[in-house]
Amino acid sequence: MIQNKRSLNERIHCAFAFASKQLRHLLSAHPDYFPMYTRNGKWKHGGEAWTNWCEGFLGGQLWLMYTYTKEAWWRDQAIHYSRLIEHRKTDKTVHDLGFLFWSTWKRWYDHSPESFINDVIVEAGRTAGSRFRARGQYLPSFVSGESLFIDIMMNVGIIFYAARQSGDMTLWENAARHCHTTRRYLIRGDGSSAHEGLFDRETGEFTRQTTHQGWRGDSSWARGLTWAIYGFGTVFRFTGDSRFLRTAEDCAAFYIERSPAHGVPPNDWSEPDPAHPYESSAAAIAASAFLQLADLTTDAVRGRMYRGYALTILDTLLQSNFLAIDTPNWEGILKRGIYHQDKGLGVNESVMWGEYFFLEALLDALHSLSDKKPSVSARPAC
Ligand code: GLY
């Protein structure tokens, strides 16, 4: 429970000043470079990427810095890093175009509603939607056609957006079908989520739950659950379908029930005695997802609880155990994230999406702690 709102407010401003320093250093030390995770606190290294899903999170942070500071320098950098990924709008090889374009081009459009920007967002959304498989009724992961990831819930918003902008009902219905399939096969009765579901390619029949980044097929990878809380919340914003809101709230209840009181989960709640007990990027995503949920839920008591829980998470992440402010030579903002534990990639390190959702949640929290309504919100408009 946060006792002192003023001091939280001050610490958020202090974290933005620190983020500004870290981002300025990254841009000047490694121009036009898209890092994914640090190695011993350094962004540039030759470590494996596994997949290319992170190129929007740097531009996204620059847009968040612009929203926070209103300084033209941040806007110019944000536009530059957004333009660098424009060619990805036709990339059919990944399931991540929402991560890439919602965090960058959509933020750009929210600041400057010009049609050439919207066209890029719509094209990216249409590309993402073109991956839909009628057999099985889902958007497959980058791994293979038989694979459905919980992560994809973060990438359907841009498809709903593209469908609405272009009046394409089939695109809209396919996005909705994907969400229902995910809800049916990846979300369990206790609100936990599976990372991956596998389907028979020929018949579309669901076969089993499994994982890449979590502990086991029947456990709940923490970041995956936060993708579900955030993603189903966003889909409710687009569709108004209360089943999606219920799913987001069920997943939120599981997160709260299983996490320590400080709100930072391990990589997977089922893993016995993990060597690295924190997954700070999941906590950052959760903070933002809980703040979104606080605005969506129809229950005022639960809304206050979600907001208070998000602030508790941020209060924890602002301490120097997580915020790298007192760690000399550390290039990231938030320490103790985990990318891919099984592969040994980015374990106990800073990760680009953790930085992005941390700044998003901090900005949203600042807005909710202040009486002034911002002209552009912390989260892209649906
Ligand atoms: N592949 C997305 C993630 O690691 O969360």
Side-chain angles (χ1 to χ4, degrees), residues 205-219:
E205 182 186 1
F206 174 73
T207 56
R208 67 188 170 96
Q209 296 181 344
T210 179
T211 191
H212 294 262
Q213 287 154 281
W215 179 244
R216 296 197 329 198
D218 62 351
S219 70

Side-chain angles (χ1 to χ4, degrees), residues 36 50-51 53-54 95-96 99 142 149 151 195 213 221 223-224 227 279 281 285 338-340 353:
M36 192 178 225
W50 188 41
T51 173
W53 65 287
C54 286
H95 57 251
D96 304 294
F99 281 133
F142 79 98
F149 273 17
D151 321 31
H195 180 190
Q213 287 154 281
W221 171 48
R223 190 160 68 254
W227 293 145
E279 210 296 69
S281 79
I285 298 156
I338 296 178
Y339 175 28
H340 198 309
W353 59 93

Side-chain angles (χ1 to χ4, degrees), residues 54-176:
C54 286
E55 292 74 10
F57 296 127
L58 176 53
Q61 287 175 72
L62 301 174
W63 281 114
L64 284 160
M65 288 306 300
Y66 172 59
T67 309
Y68 173 75
T69 62
K70 310 280 190 301
E71 289 170 15
W73 187 84
W74 288 109
R75 186 199 55 217
D76 295 347
Q77 298 301 319
I79 290 174
H80 176 72
Y81 278 84
S82 300
R83 285 196 187 280
L84 286 178
I85 63 166
E86 182 180 346
H87 63 284
R88 298 286 302 278
K89 66 190 178 189
T90 53
D91 183 351
K92 290 193 179 156
T93 65
V94 295
H95 57 251
D96 304 294
L97 295 193
F99 281 133
L100 272 86
F101 287 88
W102 203 245
S103 54
T104 51
W105 286 73
K106 185 57 172 60
R107 289 190 181 279
W108 186 1
Y109 186 65
D110 287 351
H111 282 285
S112 328
E114 294 176 62
S115 59
F116 81 93
I117 306 172
N118 204 38
D119 291 347
V120 171
I121 304 163
V122 170
E123 189 167 1
R126 295 187 72 80
T127 302
S130 72
R131 291 173 56 84
F132 185 75
R133 290 179 75 90
R135 285 188 192 156
Q137 304 277 291
Y138 60 91
L139 299 151
S141 83
F142 79 98
V143 169
S144 74
E146 65 196 7
S147 156
L148 166 67
F149 273 17
I150 191 66
D151 321 31
I152 300 166
M153 283 307 301
M154 291 297 281
N155 295 282
V156 277
I158 197 169
I159 306 177
F160 282 113
Y161 181 81
R164 198 175 58 204
Q165 290 287 311
S166 56
D168 185 337
M169 279 313 292
T170 305
L171 192 60
W172 180 277
E173 279 159 17
N174 287 348

